[in-house]
Amino acid sequence: MAAQLNLSGPPDSGLSSLTDQSMSSQTSNRSLRVAEKERRKNEAEDPSVLALQYFYNVEAGTPVSGNDEVERNLVLVEQVAYRNGLSPEAISIMLEFAMSLRMGHSLCPRVLKCLIPVTVVPQEAVVRGVSWLGVGKIPVSTQVLFIKWVLTVFDMIDAKDQLRAIYGFIFSFVSEENLCPFICHLLYLLTSKQIVQVFRVRKLLELQSKLGRQPFLLNLLSLYKVFCPELVTLSIPSRSKSVFKNHNMPWKSALFAVQKRNGSQVASSISLASASKDGTNRRKRKHRHLEIPVLSSVVNKEPQTETSRRLVPLVQIQSVAELLENMDHIELPAQMGSLLGSSLALQYLDCVQDESALLRLNFWLGYALHEELLFCGDGASQNSEESLQFLDKLLSTQHFLQEGFSSSEAFLYKFLNVWDGSLLRPQILGLLSNIPVIPSSQIGRLLFEPLMQLFFTSSVFFKCGLIECLNNMLLKWLIWHSVYALEDDLDISLNSHTSINMTLSGFKDSVMGLVDFVGRLGSIGLQLEGCHSLLLSFILDFYTMVCDMFLKYGLPLVVLPPPGVFYPALFATDPVSVDRLAFIMYRYKVNLTSAKSQEKLTEQAFHISRQTFREFNNYTVYMVNCLWNSKMFQPGMGVQLGEELLLKSNVPQYWTSFDLVHHPAFMSYAIDFHQKCWPGKKDIDLDSIKHSKPWSWYLEYLFSQGYDGLELFVQSNIRARQGDGQQGDSLST
Amino acid sequence: MERHHNSAMRTPLNSVAVQRRSKTKSYRLSYRSGIGAASRLGFTPGLTARRLNTSRKAPKSNKITEKVTKEQLALLVKTEWKLSYVTPLYQFRHTQLKSYSRQLSAFIAAEKQQGLAVDVEGTQNHFRVSFSLVQEMTESVDDAVTVLIQIHSKPLIARQDEPQRPVWSGWLTCINGNPEYLRSLPKDFICLPLFCSSEAGGLTSLVKSWFQQSFDCCFGPLEISHTSLQWLMALWTNCQPESSIRQLKMIWTLPVEPQLQVTYTVDAEDAWQLWSSVRKENTAGEGEENSIDIEEVMSFMQGLKGHFFRHFRLDLSAGRLNEVSTALGSAKHSGRIKFSNSKYMITTLMLLTECALLKMPI
């Protein structure tokens, strides 16, 4: 063995490291001399190897005092240890030397202090070291030092299986009063489920009654509780931190320095503590229903047969890697609600297939929501800070899972009837947008009736918020549809458990219901709010999605906006709204054309009613007439006014009022264009833009301002540029 | 409470889900849709049926005394109980009561001395918990057997032979729970929605948190609503011929400044006369289906209020009924109840079970 010895690095010629050591000055001087001598001999043979050989071979009972040889060799080893760390073999030799007390116990602490591993610590060495403890000749302080050392390098021990095998032996040292805290820590690191036995619990409880509430006993017992909650009951006061003391300072800095010098990445997570709860300081409050339960394992376990798979409690899982490893045999926690409190558990929640487990979670969640927001009439707003945090947590969970919980849905149906529209608005609207598809027969009563009331009695900002929420809801429904439509041909099928089956047409009815509802809200909302441009923008957002339902989400359904939305958008005073409307109309055309061609191609394509085509054509023709042809009031169009009334209004050339030049949204562009086109002209004659040449320049100018929707609309609907008198292109029905 | 009442009545009538055929995804549905999940669990009309019945059987004197042991009955009758509702208990086993007793006593000991671990197996505890079944106190086959919990304790300074004193008791029950709801729950769940506890020494909250941690359930306060109190008045008055109610006493609060409290006491015979006068002809007969309708209860109340108005020019409709009591028992809006006569206990418990089930979140 000695022949293979090899210290991690060449001994450094510098002496500075030696001066760091805590020795008496006399010894230090001598060591310096010795080291100096050693250095000269360095070239011949690696002296540190020889030094280790010395410690390996030294006879028991060799005297220490006055023994220069020991001193010299030890200094050599120390030198290497503090500079580069010791190799696994060196650790084995030195540890064996120290613990066997071959040269008495005076050198022991000094040797232990320099056991700085460079890579790993061999498990055998530690096991042998522990076994020497049993001999009983080592002074207590040295024993403590040894255990402290084991704790410090615990993460660097190359394997733990043999150490676990002698758990019982290590456990026997807990009765040694001085060793107990450190032994408890070591046991804590080694404990596994099989090890937790009634007699060990008893022993610890007995110690507890003797020593009082010691944190080290408590920590070990609480770990036992995690593994075997049926054996030990313990409630830890929320204030006390369940962390073992960091009693390994002598090595920590040396270890750190060595590792730094070697650039090694061996992480020594020295503060390996019990799974400390996240440091949330829970305020005392009267109602505790919003508190997310602590993750803990089940007490009343089903008797497990030996053959059945061993289940791992979720509490014991510390990393995603472990989670993946044990994915198929994880034991659910005692309280399902606790999954919401841990991000790791949340990952698992996505895979939970147990119906009862989800029902438990829903019972808890529904209970919390009901108690907080529905049942306690008086104190509801007082706790709004906590409610807010709770709902935010719930929302982020639902976002993570990409779906809503059924209990929050059931809660919302009740809550909407009593909601004032302002309490926790963003959260409630967020939850609302996660509601899954509701059958069209229910949707009115559950959703539309309460929302309608809220919509008409609330501020414009609520209106915007609600439209956005419904927009998100529709988006989720459509995504859901498009994902599953790909999966199987008849996408939505009846399930044997349901009383009412939702077919594709059922789904379409629901979507249609929702779109119609938003159309109604939009029409009346725009009237109530005087065509508020913010509200209009949210409504147009909604229709930007609706117009593409067929092509983007594969839903064979085309629903046009109602006149109450279309005309306010067309006559809006801001160009962005008009542009967006133009884009929406363009997308409608693309969708309808594509649907029509599919209808011709395949038999089972869906049928679009003539009414839809007619509506679309009316809108398009009107838009073209209005913006392009300056013919606002044609007979048979959507907007009609009596000739006399129009004359009475004294608006000159009223039929041109909303063409691309005179439209209030574009007038400023027209004037700007006019000035750029004819810089010299003092009188602005906007009509002059309408001549063939300037008209096409004007269009180009407008499109260059970023009005892509308008450009697409013009390109798709107007065939050729022949100056005035062009016709809108309409789809045949 | 009123608010809740309203909303409960508007809970979805029918449960429907959009279900995917895809097997891989189907599990998600259990939390995909509230109505969906409900229907999957067979709640189809469940959510809806969960409103207070508008008609119930007239109380019959029950032979409960023959079935339930004397000690248990004495305990149930003599105490005023604070009511709570409990969501279904997960993996509660009526056969494990011994082990539950041990665990709960260890839990209480641990909570009482925070930060001191307690041996579950040991018997050195200061508190002794016993779980027992109240057999035969059920109305329908779907009802789970009532569980009675008693906690005894030994005074700290006590003689060796001094017996342990009972310090707390409570029970979980379900009498004639909505069968559709009960059957819709998976087998792992035991529904005992009504929790009655005697308040003493903060043990109630300890027992509750032990249940929460052991059976993943939730406890919420259960008030006795205005309507329920009126029902109780009618049901109790209806017993007058068989067992004297002595007097019908109501306590009303009226919303005036300063608040006015009215104690309104009616002689038993007068109450009975008024009650018989509002009973409908067809149901008044001694037929098998002797049922009481909400309309009858309302007209009974109307009669009582009218009488009061004639005398004091004070319309009680504006106020709130806070408390009713008769010789058969007393009930308070805050959720406290006392059964003074075991014969009619079952009827009252049926009403309370209904109230508790109404509070279920799903």
Side-chain angles (χ1 to χ4, degrees), chain A residues 554-586:
Chain A
L555 182 70
L557 183 68
V558 179
V559 193
L560 287 162
V565 169
F566 177 80
Y567 290 106
L570 181 58
F571 301 137
T573 49
D574 59 313
V576 177
S577 299
V578 184
D579 177 65
R580 296 187 67 187
L581 179 69
F583 177 77
I584 289 167
M585 293 310 287
Y586 160 72

Side-chain angles (χ1 to χ4, degrees), chain A residues 84-86 91 115-121 149 153 156 255 258-259:
Chain A
N84 299 83
L86 296 175
I91 298 256
L115 290 179
I116 314 291
V118 64
T119 50
V120 292
V121 174
W149 174 77
V153 298
M156 303 171 86
L255 198 58
V258 165
Q259 287 191 347

Side-chain angles (χ1 to χ4, degrees), chain A residues 58-281:
Chain A
V58 70
E59 291 282 323
T62 312
V64 185
S65 54
N67 188 340
D68 268 3
E69 206 179 0
V70 176
E71 185 59 34
R72 193 186 62 227
N73 285 322
L74 189 53
V75 167
L76 262 174
V77 174
E78 277 174 338
Q79 198 180 332
V80 176
Y82 288 114
R83 179 143 301 269
N84 299 83
L86 296 175
S87 66
E89 294 83 2
I91 298 256
S92 298
I93 291 168
M94 295 311 291
L95 188 61
E96 180 65 17
F97 167 76
M99 297 300 285
S100 63
L101 302 181
R102 254 179 278 165
M103 293 178 77
H105 46 69
S106 59
L107 279 180
C108 216
R110 200 171 141 197
V111 173
L112 281 174
K113 273 180 191 153
C114 77
L115 290 179
I116 314 291
V118 64
T119 50
V120 292
V121 174
Q123 181 181 218
E124 289 78 10
V126 181
V127 172
R128 280 193 70 85
V130 173
S131 68
W132 282 113
L133 283 184
V135 175
K137 278 192 287 184
I138 307 170
V140 175
S141 62
T142 313
Q143 291 183 5
V144 169
L145 193 66
F146 168 68
I147 301 292
K148 278 183 177 178
W149 174 77
V150 176
L151 289 172
T152 310
V153 298
F154 188 81
D155 286 342
M156 303 171 86
I157 300 175
D158 52 5
K160 315 274 167 24
D161 54 322
Q162 291 176 28
L163 274 174
R164 288 215 172 86
I166 58 163
Y167 189 95
F169 181 71
I170 300 174
F171 191 89
S172 65
F173 290 103
V174 286
S175 12
E176 308 268 337
E177 209 164 309
N178 293 309
L179 277 182
C180 186
F182 312 102
I183 291 290
C184 280
H185 192 172
L186 184 57
L187 291 173
Y188 185 96
L189 298 173
L190 291 171
T191 300
S192 67
K193 189 178 161 56
Q194 296 76 24
I195 278 163
V196 182
Q197 299 287 339
V198 188
F199 67 89
R200 295 209 170 103
V201 175
R202 287 268 158 79
K203 179 78 197 166
L204 290 178
L205 289 171
E206 190 187 299
L207 275 174
Q208 184 188 245
S209 62
K210 214 191 299 174
L211 303 174
R213 315 171 179 201
Q214 299 298 339
F216 46 90
L217 281 176
L218 216 58
N219 280 349
L220 187 57
L221 277 166
S222 63
L223 184 67
Y224 278 23
K225 186 190 166 207
V226 166
F227 286 109
C228 291
E230 68 276 14
L231 291 181
V232 56
T233 302
L234 173 66
S235 75
I236 294 164
S238 50
R239 275 170 284 110
S240 79
K241 265 200 258 163
S242 54
V243 178
F244 282 103
K245 263 193 219 134
N246 203 357
H247 34 58
N248 29 42
M249 288 322 279
W251 293 280
K252 202 178 167 188
S253 51
L255 198 58
F256 183 71
V258 165
Q259 287 191 347
K260 201 176 161 194
R261 216 167 291 142
N262 296 349
S264 90
Q265 296 298 311
V266 185
S268 64
S269 54
I270 284 160
S271 59
L272 222 174
S274 67
S276 56
K277 292 165 209 157
D278 53 297
T280 48
N281 44 340

